[in-house]
Amino acid sequence: LLSVAGVNRVLTMDLHADQEQGFFEVPVDHLYASSIMVPYIKSLQLENLCIASPDVGGSKRASSYAKYFDCPLIIGNKTRARANEVATMTLIGDVKDMDVVIIDDMVDTAGTITKAADLIKAQGARSVRAIASHCIRSGPADERVEKSALEEMVFTDSIPYHGSCGKVKQLTVAALFAETIRRELNGQSISDQYLF
């Protein structure tokens, strides 16, 4: 649809699959929310930081954060009963007495991320937070997050949040996109817009 509409360049952030860039015949600049999320995680000054992925599919993203912070990585291994419904979940790694930050690209119904948070807390974590790039938040998402072990759920504002959950916090992507667009228009490099 974008190509037929006549776009000559695409600027996006945290695609669900990196391969999506290959669908375009125009240049695609794929930004990462890490340049916004990393400073936020640093600001928390967590004593025993541990990064977690709620599922095996997100382990590459979470591993990048764990390497950057030089901290342990935990991976959730889940099975699904059906779409948007987690049947079982186990953790790979030890979270006892850790301050865990779960990293994901998007949260829809919040079933996986809240199940992971509850399991992490039950296995002895000192605190559990979640950070995700995109806030889809459909169905029971707000209620699940509110009732979960999560201390907070942090998103970018790539999708506006209009819910009522007190644990949700949004960080803006406006400056990141604006600066990238400015550099592209002036023919400047955007490589330092990427942390990892």
Side-chain angles (χ1 to χ4, degrees):
L1 290 172
L2 291 170
S3 297
V4 169
V7 299
N8 57 18
R9 189 168 196 140
V10 175
L11 178 60
T12 188
M13 184 182 74
D14 282 356
L15 292 168
H16 193 54
D18 288 343
Q19 300 89 319
E20 292 172 36
Q21 295 176 73
F23 298 163
F24 292 92
E25 293 180 3
V26 297
V28 176
D29 296 307
H30 183 203
L31 299 176
Y32 297 102
S34 59
S35 61
I36 294 164
M37 297 303 191
V38 163
Y40 181 75
I41 294 170
K42 285 181 179 178
S43 77
L44 298 172
Q45 298 181 338
L46 299 172
E47 200 171 308
N48 294 314
L49 178 62
C50 177
I51 298 294
S53 174
D55 53 32
V56 175
S59 60
K60 181 180 173 188
R61 177 180 296 104
S63 177
S64 296
Y65 278 81
K67 284 178 186 171
Y68 182 88
F69 285 107
D70 190 25
C71 68
L73 173 66
I74 304 299
I75 298 173
N77 185 28
K78 69 180 178 185
T79 60
R80 286 195 182 272
R82 60 187 65 84
N84 286 333
E85 187 179 325
V86 177
T88 62
M89 180 178 283
T90 55
L91 294 180
I92 301 168
D94 184 14
V95 295
K96 186 164 175 50
D97 298 324
M98 303 299 282
D99 295 302
V100 181
V101 177
I102 304 169
I103 307 289
D104 212 347
D105 64 339
M106 63 181 176
V107 173
D108 185 4
T109 63
T112 299
I113 211 152
T114 54
K115 192 166 195 102
D118 293 346
L119 182 58
I120 287 167
K121 190 71 173 179
Q123 291 195 9
R126 188 163 56 182
S127 68
V128 186
R129 292 169 171 78
I131 286 178
S133 306
H134 308 296
C135 175
I136 298 170
R137 316 267 306 161
S138 59
D142 278 344
E143 184 180 347
R144 285 178 175 169
V145 170
E146 197 66 60
K147 290 180 178 178
S148 75
L150 286 170
E151 292 192 16
E152 64 179 351
M153 176 77 247
V154 182
F155 295 105
T156 73
D157 60 355
S158 64
I159 300 171
Y161 175 71
H162 301 293
S164 58
C165 181
K167 292 184 179 182
V168 171
K169 179 174 187 168
Q170 282 201 299
L171 305 177
T172 187
V173 296
L176 174 64
F177 273 79
E179 178 61 16
T180 303
I181 291 167
R182 186 192 67 75
R183 291 182 186 197
E184 287 175 350
L185 290 173
N186 293 322
Q188 298 172 307
S189 171
I190 63 167
S191 60
D192 65 355
Q193 297 288 83
Y194 300 92
L195 278 178
F196 48 80

